[in-house]
Amino acid sequence: MTPLRIDILTTFPEVFSADPPAFLGASIPARARRAGLVEWRAFNLRDHTRDKHQKTDDRPFGGGPGMVMTCQPVWEAVHAVEAIDPRPATRILLTPQGRPLRQGLVEELAIKPRLLLIAGHYEGIDERVVERLKPQEVSIGDYVLSGGEAAALVLMDAVIRLLPGALGHEGSASEDSFSMLPGESIRLLDCPHYTKPREWMGMAVPGVLLSGDHGEIARWRLDQRRARTRERRPDLLNP
Ligand code: 9D3
């Protein structure tokens, strides 16, 4: 199978292309890359500026704090990078105003042949280039980051681990928190897990897990998942 191709446009390409890449160089994404399931490349928006100072931002019309990324470098970088490969890219702009990233969206992205991630910095990008490029706008949650790079890393990690062959043993991904249970339309949190020793600091492992009764164990785990979801994340029960 031809690898998923992920291109990232950023003013901080070293976040993605350090060798080894600090975050994506560890664990599952690194293995997936070595196995040829995914390839990624970061491009510096500065390389697509036309002015001699390589400025990618300017002061906001209407005043106010911070800087706004200008249209031209983003527009030209998108087209230059897209032209490297004939396959159409799914354009994604990481922005606090975007659609919240949940597992359903991750699953949609994991079946695409090619992703183009645009990580903004400063206050954001000029809205006109967003209007022309029509990217999917994606947020990773309701907290304030200093830029889109960390969000792009999160999205990449979540997508890459879903690629067939990325996980140590198949089936782990489908048993995740948030993954769909067969015959169920809602995503539940995970159950608690235990390993040796059987007793630790006076605390015993729940007896059912030692019973050897796999039907009973499956029922207990599902019960735990439902109870924890009801308790901790009732919002997941009414999607
Ligand atoms: C304090 C600045 N904010 C004024 C209301 C706006 C703002 C602009 C740019 C806040 C954060 C950012 C940088 N963040 C991202 O680019 C970003 C992000 C995030 O901050 N939270 C969750 N998901 C994402 S995806 C990209």
Side-chain angles (χ1 to χ4, degrees), residues 101-175:
L101 182 65
R102 287 191 286 262
Q103 195 64 12
L105 177 52
V106 173
E107 287 166 6
E108 284 174 36
L109 298 178
I111 60 177
K112 305 283 187 194
R114 191 176 175 199
L115 304 177
L116 175 59
L117 308 183
I118 307 167
H121 230 88
Y122 319 111
E123 284 305 292
I125 6 185
D126 189 313
E127 189 65 20
R128 293 169 296 184
V129 74
V130 179
E131 216 174 289
R132 276 293 167 90
L133 290 172
K134 296 208 180 330
Q136 294 195 46
E137 299 182 55
V138 174
S139 160
I140 64 161
D142 296 336
Y143 37 80
V144 182
L145 301 174
S146 58
E149 285 78 14
L153 290 171
V154 166
L155 184 150
M156 289 170 69
D157 185 284
V159 166
I160 290 168
R161 63 183 291 287
L162 289 187
L163 300 176
L167 295 182
H169 67 98
E170 298 307 308
S172 332
S174 59
E175 285 163 21

Side-chain angles (χ1 to χ4, degrees), residues 91-107:
R91 296 172 178 165
I92 298 167
L93 172 65
L94 285 314
T95 161
Q97 283 76 45
R99 169 179 171 193
L101 182 65
R102 287 191 286 262
Q103 195 64 12
L105 177 52
V106 173
E107 287 166 6

